[in-house]
Amino acid sequence: MNKYAVIVAGGSGSRMGAPVPKQFLLLEGKPLLWYSINIFLAAYDELSVILVVPAGHWEVAKDIAASVAEPGRVRMVEGGETRFLSVRNGLRLVERESVVGVHDGVRCLASVGLVRRCFEQAIRLGSAIPVVDCKDSVRWVEGEGSRPLDRSRIRLVQTPQTFLGGVLLDAFGAAADGGAFTDEATVVEAAGRTVHLVEGEVSNIKITTPDDLVLAAEMLRWRL
C-alpha cells in the first residue's frame, strides 16, 4: 500500500513577528520545514512527500525540498486560501489505495516512531489522530461567565492525522467548502466516519510563537 505525507507549509510569520512564514524560520541552522520533511522520509523508504506551498514562497520551498535526504521523493503543489483547500490540493496527487498522513509543516519535532504508530493504526482502523492529555485546568466560556470542564476527558490534537486514502479522498470530495473544519478529523467526521485516536507526543509542539522556537531549539539539542 502506497504511503504519502501531505505536509502543509502554509501560515504566516505574524505571531512570530518575522518577515517570512514561520515554516521557513531556522532551527539550529535548518528551516523548520526541512526537519518535518526528513522525519517522514526516514519513517518509510517507500513514502512520498507532497509539500503544499504558498504561491508566493515557491522558490524558497523548492530550495528546502532539494536539500533534504532524498529530494526525489518530494513533490510540490500550490496551496489554497485556507488549510482545507491546501490539503485538498495536495490530495490530488494521492491514490485511493494508500495511507496518508497530513502534517503541519511547523511540527518539526515529531518522531519517526510517532509517524509509524499513526500509519500502522490507520492501516488497521482507517484513521489515527495523535493526541496528548490536557495538563491545565480548562473552562468553557459562555457569555460573560464560564464553567469548568473535566480535563481528564480533554485531549489536545496533533498531527500527522493519518487515514486510509479512500477515507480521506471521499471525505474531502463530499465537503462543499472548508469553512467549518479545523482539521482533517473534522472533515472525515462530517462525512459520517468515526475517527480513532492514538497516543501523540508532548514534544510534538506546533511552533507558533518565538517562545516555541526557543523551546524547540532546546528539545533538538537534547535529542542530539
Side-chain angles (χ1 to χ4, degrees), residues 4-173:
Y4 299 94
V6 177
I7 300 181
V8 185
S12 67
S14 57
R15 278 181 282 185
M16 279 285 187
V20 297
K22 55 197 174 185
Q23 61 270 19
F24 303 131
L25 295 175
L26 299 183
L27 178 62
E28 297 295 298
K30 298 288 187 181
L32 303 182
L33 191 57
W34 181 89
Y35 292 98
S36 297
I37 296 171
N38 276 307
I39 291 162
F40 286 90
L41 295 178
Y44 293 104
D45 291 339
E46 70 276 22
L47 181 145
S48 297
V49 171
I50 299 167
L51 186 58
V52 186
V53 180
H57 299 277
W58 187 268
E59 290 304 317
V60 64
K62 185 177 179 181
D63 288 342
I64 294 170
S67 71
V68 300
E70 295 184 65
R73 290 164 57 193
V74 181
R75 289 182 288 172
M76 292 172 51
V77 64
E78 188 173 309
E81 294 182 1
T82 64
R83 179 191 174 88
F84 173 87
L85 295 175
S86 292
V87 173
R88 190 165 69 180
N89 286 354
L91 291 177
R92 290 172 181 159
L93 301 181
V94 166
E95 299 175 4
R96 288 189 63 84
E97 297 301 318
S98 65
V99 188
V100 185
V102 182
H103 191 61
D104 296 324
V106 292
R107 289 189 187 269
C108 61
L109 295 177
S111 72
V112 167
L114 174 61
V115 171
R116 290 175 178 166
R117 186 158 65 246
C118 289
F119 274 69
E120 288 165 8
Q121 178 174 298
I123 290 171
R124 294 195 327 268
L125 302 179
S127 62
I129 312 302
V131 298
V132 294
D133 292 342
C134 178
K135 297 179 180 179
D136 298 322
S137 295
V138 182
R139 298 191 70 84
W140 181 273
V141 176
E142 295 176 311
E144 297 299 318
S146 66
R147 59 183 175 85
L149 297 180
D150 180 0
R151 69 182 176 189
S152 69
R153 302 184 65 184
I154 302 293
R155 298 295 181 269
L156 307 180
V157 179
Q158 302 179 334
T159 67
Q161 297 190 14
T162 309
F163 305 86
L164 291 176
V167 170
L168 202 54
L169 290 170
D170 288 346
F172 271 79

